[in-house]
Amino acid sequence: MKIGIVGCAGRMGRMLVQAVHQTPGAELAGGSEAKHSDAIGEDPALLAGLKASGLKITDDARVLFEASDCVVDFTVPAATVLHAGLAKETGTALVPGTTGLSADQQAVIEDAAQSVAIVQAANYSVGVNLLLGLTEQVASILGDDFDIEVLEMHHRHKIDAPSGTALALGKAAAAGRGVSLDDVADRVRDGITGERTVGNIGFATLRGGMVVGDHSVIFASDDERIEITHRAADRGLFAKGAIRAAMWAASKDAGLYSMRDVLGFD
Ligand code: NAD
């Protein structure tokens, strides 16, 4: 299975190249980077700390899509949208891990999924996908007398907030309650906010150090509190999950799939 990595010089990109190397049956088709990146022309395997592959990082993503059975994309929203268009045009499966997409950008992914298989997840770890299922289940059992808060912490370099995983957890909690997250989300609190609105789902964001990704969902009533927490210890975890998704997607019909489909959780 030939797997291409766009943004292969990024923090996740390098991990993804390593994960392809470690996955039986997977072969690195190549890597691409942004037009003015210093990494253009470099060997993606060497950059990831592996033995030389003879491949050169390109700034022509179309060439990479044509050479790949599936492309994995952990870049920035504007690039991911362009890559979704290329997936559609070349018929190449796509695993877009980029977070922080606007509703319009998400619509482009959904349009491409009518032509090719796409596995999109805010988080490709087994543990977080389990947490998503548990959150939905607990929210469906507990009533509005339990306030739901989602707390996340990430490293200082993260550019979007709340994290895609925190929002996915909020969506799971809202789904458990049979409401839409957009109608009940308190994404930011500052100043004289007034009392907490019954039924809302709150978010709190911490940034610092090199934290890979911590997420907690807190259910708080007058009498008791339930907290479910996941802590990622190594970002290689997301890379391994994304390559597993890529191997799975390459043989699937067109459609927008989740990591829960890949893991068989549903
Ligand atoms: P990063 O800044 O280290 O890497 C992004 C890379 O994309 C950079 O090397 C950049 O040059 C490259 N890039 C930008 N535009 C490009 C283009 N047009 N073509 C090719 N490459 C391009 O960031 P990161 O920490 O690796 O995170 C990347 C994204 O992945 C973020 O949105 C982050 O939130 C997300 N992420 C998702 C998961 C998950 O499990 N879904 C896990 C970790 C990170």
Side-chain angles (χ1 to χ4, degrees):
M1 196 74 73
K2 293 192 167 177
I3 298 181
I5 309 293
V6 291
C8 64
R11 279 181 292 267
M12 283 304 302
R14 293 170 200 231
M15 291 278 178
L16 288 161
V17 170
Q18 287 174 6
V20 170
H21 179 71
Q22 289 159 2
T23 304
E27 185 189 335
L28 185 65
S32 76
E33 256 299 333
K35 287 249 175 282
H36 303 295
S37 165
D38 292 344
I40 304 295
E42 302 273 333
D43 184 322
L46 276 180
L47 215 57
L50 303 169
K51 277 198 275 179
S53 64
L55 297 163
K56 280 191 190 326
I57 298 174
T58 177
D59 60 2
D60 187 346
R62 178 180 290 275
V63 171
L64 181 63
F65 273 80
E66 283 167 351
S68 306
D69 296 311
C70 185
V71 167
V72 183
D73 176 341
F74 283 58
T75 58
V76 291
T80 300
V81 165
L82 293 176
H83 295 143
L86 285 175
K88 182 176 171 177
E89 284 169 38
T90 59
T92 311
L94 182 66
V95 174
T98 307
T99 58
L101 271 64
S102 68
D104 287 350
Q105 288 169 328
Q106 180 61 27
V108 176
I109 305 279
E110 282 163 27
D111 174 65
Q114 301 200 358
S115 308
V116 287
I118 296 185
V119 182
Q120 187 181 30
N123 195 305
Y124 290 89
S125 92
V126 174
V128 160
N129 283 281
L130 203 54
L131 184 64
L132 284 167
L134 287 172
T135 298
E136 183 169 343
Q137 195 184 356
V138 176
S140 74
I141 295 167
L142 300 176
D144 270 1
D145 50 330
F146 279 81
D147 298 322
I148 304 179
E149 295 282 304
V150 182
L151 173 67
E152 60 107 332
M153 179 162 187
H154 280 86
H155 53 89
R156 64 171 73 95
H157 302 293
K158 186 160 180 63
I159 59 170
D160 55 317
S163 72
T165 301
L167 291 170
L169 288 164
K171 264 190 197 152
R177 284 195 162 164
V179 296
S180 159
L181 181 63
D182 289 342
D183 296 336
V184 297
D186 278 335
R187 290 176 58 137
V188 180
R189 295 187 183 114
D190 186 28
I192 310 296
T193 59
E195 286 194 7
R196 194 182 194 289
T197 306
V198 174
N200 273 14
I201 295 175
F203 292 85
T205 299
L206 309 181
R207 292 285 175 267
M210 293 307 290
V211 176
V212 174
D214 293 353
H215 292 90
S216 293
V217 185
I218 301 162
F219 300 84
S221 78
D222 289 352
D223 313 309
E224 58 186 341
R225 199 158 77 226
I226 300 166
E227 300 184 8
I228 321 176
T229 297
H230 177 272
R231 295 188 208 282
D234 181 343
R235 61 179 49 238
L237 169 77
F238 309 126
K240 270 187 227 153
I243 299 307
R244 181 169 171 177
M247 301 287 281
W248 183 90
S251 62
K252 286 284 175 287
D253 292 336
L256 185 58
Y257 301 96
S258 74
M259 199 55 191
R260 284 159 85 175
D261 295 319
V262 176
L263 297 170
F265 280 179
D266 291 336

